[in-house]
Amino acid sequence: MKLSEPQKQIADHPARFKVLVSGRRFGKTTLAIRQLAYYARKPDTLCWYVAPSYRQAKQIAWVEIKKILSDLNWIKKINEAELTLTLKNGSRICLRGADNKDSLRGIGINGILVIDEASDVDQEAWTEVLRPTLSTHNGHALFCGTPKGLNWFHDLYQQGQKTTDLNWKSWQFTTEQGGFVSQEEIDQAKKDLDEKTYRQEYQATFETYSGIIYYGFDMKHNVKNTKLPEDVTALAIG
């Protein structure tokens, strides 16, 4: 599968846990399917794609992943009821919904876990159910989504920005950087949407919509480290 330069940058990075924060139509699902196929190329590998709900998993990725792997002649069996592809090498790619998180227990993923639209997935589905599925075989994970406030997806992005933990890496790309939406359409969306919605949906910024005092406040651009003068520091200590 051919990837754009931003997609390739993510796919090629050695981090075990990757977080992609992107604007709409960036191509995150294409990247997710590529990663599922990449890990499933090894025999007897289990890979999972998890969306906020079973219905979303089917709508977002099922048709596309079947087509791509059919074109590659990789598929041995398709289970439509369980959204599971069994490949000729014994690997399985399963699509699941996080809305029934207890049904996700008891599985050991030795390939990759993709959590798509992560902002809409319950945090406990990751911390209490899905994270343990990676422990036995040191499985990998890719989190994808458009921001939706300062929730746990924002925390994962911040984790990936820390240079002290090489297991984690995060990226933030706009719709424009994805290269799949014309500039004319992006300009029109900017006219049609209010400023905060446009920034969130197309520029992939983390916005807050409730309990906010200052509409234009942005943590990335408005919060900075400041060194106080010595006389002020001494006064504060005293």
Side-chain angles (χ1 to χ4, degrees):
M1 296 174 60
K2 184 177 181 180
L3 299 178
S4 65
E5 282 303 316
Q7 290 171 327
K8 191 173 186 301
Q9 179 182 332
I10 298 166
D12 291 346
H13 197 278
R16 181 183 176 195
F17 303 105
K18 302 178 183 182
V19 183
L20 167 59
V21 179
S22 67
R24 297 295 178 185
R25 312 310 302 168
F26 165 82
K28 61 182 177 60
T29 302
T30 300
L31 173 64
I33 292 174
R34 188 271 183 189
Q35 291 300 90
L36 289 166
Y38 177 79
Y39 281 86
R41 79 193 194 283
K42 296 182 179 180
D44 303 313
T45 299
L46 177 62
C47 300
W48 270 24
Y49 170 95
V50 176
S53 69
Y54 175 89
R55 182 176 182 181
Q56 283 177 284
K58 187 173 184 178
Q59 290 177 334
I60 295 171
W62 183 237
V63 173
E64 186 173 353
I65 195 169
K66 281 194 300 181
K67 181 182 185 307
I68 290 173
L69 296 185
S70 293
D71 290 344
L72 292 172
N73 197 28
W74 284 17
I75 299 177
K76 178 181 179 181
K77 180 181 178 182
I78 299 176
N79 189 321
E80 293 284 349
E82 296 184 2
L83 300 186
T84 296
L85 300 176
T86 301
L87 307 186
K88 293 179 179 179
N89 66 355
S91 293
R92 287 179 295 147
I93 297 177
C94 308
L95 277 62
R96 298 290 184 262
D99 47 342
N100 184 11
K101 59 179 180 288
D102 287 337
S103 68
L104 307 178
R105 296 180 183 275
I107 301 297
I109 296 174
N110 59 347
I112 189 170
L113 164 69
V114 174
I115 301 181
D116 203 355
E117 301 297 349
S119 290
D120 292 320
V121 171
D122 186 349
Q123 181 178 2
E124 291 183 357
W126 161 245
T127 56
E128 297 182 10
V129 182
L130 293 171
R131 177 59 180 89
T133 67
L134 304 175
S135 293
T136 302
H137 305 287
N138 294 319
H140 290 231
L142 170 64
F143 304 84
C144 305
T146 300
K148 199 171 187 179
L150 303 181
N151 59 10
W152 75 284
F153 187 45
H154 174 263
D155 295 338
L156 291 183
Y157 172 77
Q158 295 295 336
Q159 177 71 19
Q161 292 294 293
K162 297 177 181 179
T163 58
T164 54
D165 191 345
L166 299 181
N167 279 315
W168 285 84
K169 177 64 178 176
S170 62
W171 295 263
Q172 190 172 29
F173 289 110
T174 66
T175 297
E176 183 178 6
Q177 289 173 306
F180 295 101
V181 179
S182 69
Q183 188 60 51
E184 290 78 12
E185 174 60 21
I186 293 173
D187 292 341
Q188 186 62 49
K190 189 172 184 179
K191 294 177 183 178
D192 295 341
L193 302 174
D194 67 82
E195 184 179 350
K196 286 175 68 68
T197 301
Y198 172 77
R199 290 202 306 258
Q200 174 178 279
E201 301 299 323
Y202 286 82
Q203 296 186 319
T205 62
F206 289 95
E207 305 287 337
T208 55
Y209 285 86
S210 61
I212 191 167
I213 299 175
Y214 299 107
Y215 181 91
F217 179 80
D218 183 282
M219 290 185 65
K220 183 176 180 180
H221 297 101
N222 299 115
V223 177
K224 298 180 180 179
N225 293 323
T226 302
K227 185 177 181 180
L228 295 174
E230 292 184 2
D231 55 339
V232 175
T233 304
L235 180 62
I237 295 175

